[in-house]
Amino acid sequence: MANFASKGRRPHIKALRGLVMAVSALSFVSLLSLSNIEALAASGQETLPHSPVNADAKASALQLSGKPAGGTADHSKFEILQQDFKSGPEVTKACLSCHTEAADQVQHTLHWKWETKNEATGQTLGKRTVINSFCGNVASNEPRCTSCHAGYGWEDMRQPPPSDPEAVDCLVCHADTALYKKFPTKAGHPLYEPTPWNGKIVQPPNLSMAAQSVTNPQRENCGSCHYYGGGGDGVKHGDLDSSLNHPDAALDVHMNADGLNMACTACHSGSGHQWPGSRYSTEAKPTTITNDGEETKTAKIRSLDQHAGLMEPSASCESCHSARPHDGNDIMGIKLNDHTDTVACQTCHVPEFARGGVATKTLWDWSTAGKLKDGKPYKVMDEHGHPSYMSEKGDFEYAENVQPFYSWFNGETTWTLLDDTIDPTKVVEINALGGSATDGKSRIWPFKRMHSRQPYDKANNQLVYNHVFGKDDTALWTNFDWDKSVPAAMEFIGKDFSGELGFVDTYMYWPITHMVAPKEQAVRCTECHAKEGRLDGITGIYMPGRDNFKWLDWIGYAAFGLTLLGVLIHALLRIIFRNRKTQA
Amino acid sequence: MTDIPSSAQSEELANKPDVKKRAVKIYTRYERFWHWSQALLIFILAFSGFNLHGSLTLVPFPLAVMVHTYAAILLLLLWLFTTFWNFTTGQWRHYLPQNKGLFAVIKFYAYGIITGAPHPYSKSLNRKQNALQSLAYLTFMVIIGPALWLSGIAYLLYGLWENIQNGQQIFTLVAFVHTAAAFAMITFVVIHVYMTTTGKTVFHYIKTMITGYEKIELTPAEEAYLEEQQPGMLKKDTQ
């Protein structure tokens, strides 16, 4: 823990010293007020990470996690961690000598099993089985994909993950990410010897140093997988990318490195290595009511009730902010609170995603993959430096500052799985969103709607798996031959393939919830309460400013207009015949 | 819409020695305050409301929300107090429907006013409004007004009933009723404002509603009573 905490503090002290000197030259008053810091800096004494004296220190301190700050153990002082570890599992063995239940806990989570039963739809979901609209499928591509499994050595998706407790990877979530990395193609293992990669020799991590650096997971830990899904930084989610390692308030008010600096686990806060907040079962309309029907009045009570098992753990905005979060003492606050039954917090408070300078992929057309130039794969870059074509993967589009797609959502998604029949004349929804205006469980949610063109079996009208990774003679990324890669993947999992390959347009929906902007930058009223506004496609609800009652408006305007015309004519007649009275 | 006898009628009346026209304060200070503050609020509500409806874009949506809400609360308070006032002072009787002479009044406004016919109704201390007027104001007070304030209050208190079953459909119904009543209201206002120009002069009725005084027929008994008991209600007779 000490290693992690002390990282990068020196430059701050230097900068501080320079600042103090400059300020003291400017004014005696400033000198007085800063003399305390100057004394500390001059003596070379390091301030504690959370010391109020050091204005910069907070950024280098640990992030705010689900557990209160201030541990009682310094892992760099444990003898068992000072050995020369030869492999990841050896480190895990050392961890488990104290943390006896950790591996068992992890092995019961979605992070481990990559499989979950959706009770509402009966579907078996999880990375192990689903097809997504990015790389497609894990099976037959294991050592590449399982580089993001929270363990070591899951090399065959047809088998459950390894049951050996030492196969759990503690370091990927707990070690300083500067000291430990899983290698992209080693089925979850880091390097154990110097290895050439992309024309460079990559050194293996010092596992002893890594083991001594462990602490509660920082954003960098979760991000080492969740930022890079789909093959690169920010590619998949749109609201999760490496810009969240050091975000300012404008990018994310909660993770703001100079503010709350919340770690992922501050919200995804659970126990026993189980975290709430899976996209396979989203809470679209989170409750603030306990299982017994008691209203939890404050965030503190909700937190205690969740820990006590009196309500389900939740990673929702409501957990802290309640279902009526705006100031109830003024009309505007009351009006805004009146939205929370139908509009998710994120809909207004995440006006755009991919706001941190990292672009997200918005289109992936697999159908063009496999083209070669002079018999060699090639790459075309767009004007922003993102690939727009790769022989391995096809055509891409990237975007930054993307306005979300909006839809009613009750938290349930119905996936198009391998055995499901598709209608290739329509856009296939990879994870069709459940919900409607009238079910009482849905709210209007923002999404990244990923558009892809993916391989399917033209004869059976089913999506197919694809074998992309491997140094064999069938992998697409090695051989650029669709006629080999799809049959190889289908054979691998024992599914029929007619041999007729087609490509079908797909949509995949990614709920947007991170990158919460400061309230001043929330979506303006008029962006939705207007014709052709953000919520133009949302049906089943009456929205003032957007909607009218067609024939009522016709009658209303006609009555008003004809009345106006009538009185004008009447007035005109009175003027024309104004002399009648005296003649009478 | 307030009416006074036409000149022809006046000549006729002048021959009757027992009926006298006097300038009487027929609209009390509170009544005039009610009328003009209500008029102002209705205009504010109409403009901000149709701004919210998307018919106009005079101000940004959130400002229209605030203006509409505050004006609505003020109007509700005004109406609450006025209802109290109407019943405690007995003024409510003026709004009771009185179908006698209704057709004559309609006929007068339809073409009598153009051909120069006399107004069929003459205002008295007990009955400030003609039959058509009573009917119009009654519609305003019993149908258009309540439709607006009932749906408006339901809309304002949405947070209290948002979770009931079919909440969204009921919300749509509330918005429908409110919008329909608002169209009726602005149509009413057009007619009402136009009718104020049908007096002796174009601004005669507006002046009356500002000063409160109108020349009406008084029986000797009424005149004597007012002279004796309510001298403030009579302007010093100049004739």
Side-chain angles (χ1 to χ4, degrees), chain A residues 331-332 338 341-342 438 526 529 541-542 544-545 548-549 552-553 556-557 560 563-564 567 570-571 574 577 580, chain B residues 52-53 55 61 69-70 109 113-115 155 158-159 162 168 171-172 175-176 183 186-187 190-191 194 197-198:
Chain A
I331 296 282
M332 189 51 88
D338 283 349
D341 63 322
T342 47
T438 50
T526 37
H529 288 280
I541 191 168
Y542 178 80
N548 53 44
F549 304 98
L552 171 68
D553 276 50
Y557 290 128
F560 178 74
T563 304
L564 207 57
V567 302
H570 197 269
R574 276 170 61 204
F577 294 101
R580 276 288 186 89
Chain B
L52 293 172
H53 190 58
S55 313
F61 191 89
T69 308
Y70 279 117
Y109 283 114
I113 191 171
I114 295 161
T115 59
Y155 201 118
Y158 173 73
E162 61 187 24
Q168 283 315 308
F171 175 75
T172 308
F176 180 91
F183 274 118
I186 58 169
T187 305
V190 169
I191 299 170
Y194 176 69
T197 68
T198 60

Side-chain angles (χ1 to χ4, degrees), chain A residues 241 471 534 565:
Chain A
D241 60 51
K471 288 202 162 61
R534 282 179 184 244
L565 190 68

Side-chain angles (χ1 to χ4, degrees), chain A residues 260-333:
Chain A
L260 276 168
N261 198 17
M262 284 158 77
C264 306
T265 53
C267 298
H268 297 272
S269 161
S271 57
H273 284 95
Q274 299 265 15
W275 313 120
S278 166
R279 279 159 211 269
Y280 288 115
S281 58
T282 309
E283 285 180 283
K285 202 170 187 174
T287 181
T288 53
I289 295 168
T290 66
N291 298 338
D292 298 339
E294 297 285 331
E295 176 65 61
T296 52
K297 296 213 168 48
T298 65
K300 179 86 177 166
I301 292 171
R302 274 190 286 285
S303 168
L304 289 171
D305 280 341
Q306 287 179 14
H307 287 148
L310 298 177
M311 66 190 292
E312 294 303 314
S314 167
S316 65
C317 308
E318 282 82 350
S319 295
C320 296
H321 295 284
S322 92
R324 297 187 77 75
H326 309 97
D327 184 2
N329 293 329
D330 84 66
I331 296 282
M332 189 51 88

Side-chain angles (χ1 to χ4, degrees), chain B residues 84-135:
Chain B
F84 175 76
W85 175 86
N86 263 320
F87 282 99
T88 52
T89 59
Q91 289 289 328
W92 60 275
R93 286 190 191 86
H94 291 285
Y95 300 95
L96 279 181
Q98 170 212 49
N99 293 332
K100 207 183 104 204
L102 177 64
F103 186 68
V105 176
I106 293 173
K107 217 167 84 179
F108 169 75
Y109 283 114
Y111 56 87
I113 191 171
I114 295 161
T115 59
H119 198 291
Y121 176 78
S122 94
K123 196 173 289 188
S124 74
L125 203 54
N126 289 331
R127 196 74 197 181
K128 297 194 271 196
Q129 297 149 2
N130 68 49
L132 182 64
Q133 235 179 330
S134 294
L135 195 67

Side-chain angles (χ1 to χ4, degrees), chain B residues 24-26 91 94 121-129 214 216-219 221-223 225-226 230 233-234:
Chain B
V24 183
K25 196 203 274 179
I26 57 166
Q91 289 289 328
H94 291 285
Y121 176 78
S122 94
K123 196 173 289 188
S124 74
L125 203 54
N126 289 331
R127 196 74 197 181
K128 297 194 271 196
Q129 297 149 2
E214 173 67 291
I216 60 169
E217 296 162 14
L218 289 181
T219 63
E222 284 172 334
E223 190 177 11
Y225 170 79
L226 291 176
Q230 306 275 346
M233 279 188 69
L234 286 172

Side-chain angles (χ1 to χ4, degrees), chain A residues 417-434:
Chain A
L417 301 171
L418 207 51
D419 294 329
D420 295 325
T421 306
I422 60 166
D423 177 359
T425 62
K426 292 189 184 128
V427 178
V428 173
E429 293 186 305
I430 293 293
N431 58 340
L433 301 172

Side-chain angles (χ1 to χ4, degrees), chain A residues 270-473:
Chain A
S271 57
H273 284 95
Q274 299 265 15
W275 313 120
S278 166
R279 279 159 211 269
Y280 288 115
S281 58
T282 309
E283 285 180 283
K285 202 170 187 174
T287 181
T288 53
I289 295 168
T290 66
N291 298 338
D292 298 339
E294 297 285 331
E295 176 65 61
T296 52
K297 296 213 168 48
T298 65
K300 179 86 177 166
I301 292 171
R302 274 190 286 285
S303 168
L304 289 171
D305 280 341
Q306 287 179 14
H307 287 148
L310 298 177
M311 66 190 292
E312 294 303 314
S314 167
S316 65
C317 308
E318 282 82 350
S319 295
C320 296
H321 295 284
S322 92
R324 297 187 77 75
H326 309 97
D327 184 2
N329 293 329
D330 84 66
I331 296 282
M332 189 51 88
I334 293 168
K335 281 279 164 198
L336 292 173
N337 283 338
D338 283 349
H339 288 72
T340 57
D341 63 322
T342 47
V343 182
C345 309
Q346 293 88 336
T347 296
C348 299
H349 290 281
V350 190
E352 289 173 340
F353 56 86
R355 291 207 314 276
V358 178
T360 188
K361 195 171 280 186
T362 53
L363 181 134
W364 186 333
D365 180 359
W366 276 101
S367 70
T368 56
K371 287 190 279 188
L372 300 173
K373 253 186 198 162
D374 307 323
K376 280 181 187 159
Y378 66 100
K379 201 181 200 178
V380 180
M381 306 300 274
D382 67 14
E383 66 267 35
H384 303 292
H386 304 115
S388 60
Y389 180 76
M390 283 170 78
S391 297
E392 290 88 347
K393 297 178 176 181
D395 282 301
F396 299 144
E397 276 175 21
Y398 283 82
E400 286 183 51
N401 306 314
V402 188
Q403 187 175 306
F405 167 85
Y406 299 97
S407 173
W408 286 106
F409 186 41
N410 62 8
E412 288 167 15
T413 46
T414 305
W415 290 65
T416 303
L417 301 171
L418 207 51
D419 294 329
D420 295 325
T421 306
I422 60 166
D423 177 359
T425 62
K426 292 189 184 128
V427 178
V428 173
E429 293 186 305
I430 293 293
N431 58 340
L433 301 172
S436 70
T438 50
D439 67 7
K441 295 183 284 185
S442 301
R443 296 200 291 177
I444 299 163
W445 269 77
F447 296 90
K448 173 187 168 182
R449 187 171 71 173
M450 177 68 187
H451 183 195
S452 298
R453 189 168 294 152
Q454 299 181 240
Y456 81 106
D457 184 329
K458 268 170 105 170
N460 297 329
N461 282 339
Q462 287 175 333
L463 293 176
V464 292
Y465 276 5
N466 191 14
H467 175 44
V468 295
F469 176 81
K471 288 202 162 61
D472 54 70
D473 63 352

